[in-house]
C-alpha cells in the first residue's frame, strides 16, 4: 500500500472519468485507502475521494479500458465499503 506516494498529474483531465458513490466511510483516512487501492489499477491516472459527499472521482488515462466493476471491487477491497457507479 502506498498511502504517501499518490499519483499526481497536471494533465489529469485527459482521458475519461468515472464517479462512484461510496458508503461506509467515517474519516479522511478511508478516502486515502480507497484512492490508494484505485490508483493501483492499470489505466487509472488518479482518484479523489470526498468523505463528506461520499463520492469518488476516478480519472482514467487516455484510451484506458477499465471496467467499472473493477473499480467497485477495488473500493470494496479497501475496507468495509459499498460502492456503486453514479451514472
Amino acid at each position: 500500500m502506498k498511502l504517501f506516494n499518490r499519483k499526481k498529474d497536471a494533465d489529469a483531465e485527459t482521458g475519461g472519468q468515472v464517479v462512484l458513490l461510496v458508503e461506509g466511510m467515517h474519516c479522511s483516512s478511508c478516502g486515502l485507502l480507497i484512492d490508494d487501492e484505485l490508483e493501483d489499477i492499470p489505466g487509472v491516472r488518479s482518484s479523489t475521494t470526498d468523505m463528506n459527499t461520499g463520492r469518488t472521482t476516478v480519472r482514467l488515462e487516455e484510451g484506458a479500458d477499465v471496467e467499472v466493476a473493477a473499480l467497485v471491487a477495488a473500493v470494496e477491497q479497501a475496507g468495509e465499503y459499498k460502492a456503486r457507479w453514479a451514472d
Side-chain angles (χ1 to χ4, degrees), residues 25-62:
M25 295 184 287
H26 54 83
C27 67
S28 58
S29 292
C30 293
L32 292 174
L33 290 170
I34 290 168
D35 292 338
D36 187 57
E37 213 45 62
L38 288 165
E39 290 174 352
D40 283 344
I41 296 174
V44 171
R45 180 185 301 269
S46 67
S47 174
T48 305
T49 299
D50 184 336
M51 187 194 77
N52 295 319
T53 64
R55 296 170 70 88
T56 297
T57 302
V58 181
R59 289 179 180 79
L60 305 173
E61 294 175 357
E62 189 171 349

Side-chain angles (χ1 to χ4, degrees), residues 1 20-25 30-39 41 47 49 54 56 58 67-86:
M1 200 177 323
L20 301 173
L21 300 177
V22 181
E23 297 175 12
M25 295 184 287
C30 293
L32 292 174
L33 290 170
I34 290 168
D35 292 338
D36 187 57
E37 213 45 62
L38 288 165
E39 290 174 352
I41 296 174
S47 174
T49 299
T56 297
V58 181
E67 298 277 335
V68 173
L71 300 174
V72 168
V75 169
E76 293 178 354
Q77 181 177 325
E80 295 187 19
Y81 311 111
K82 293 292 178 196
R84 64 183 170 87
W85 183 25

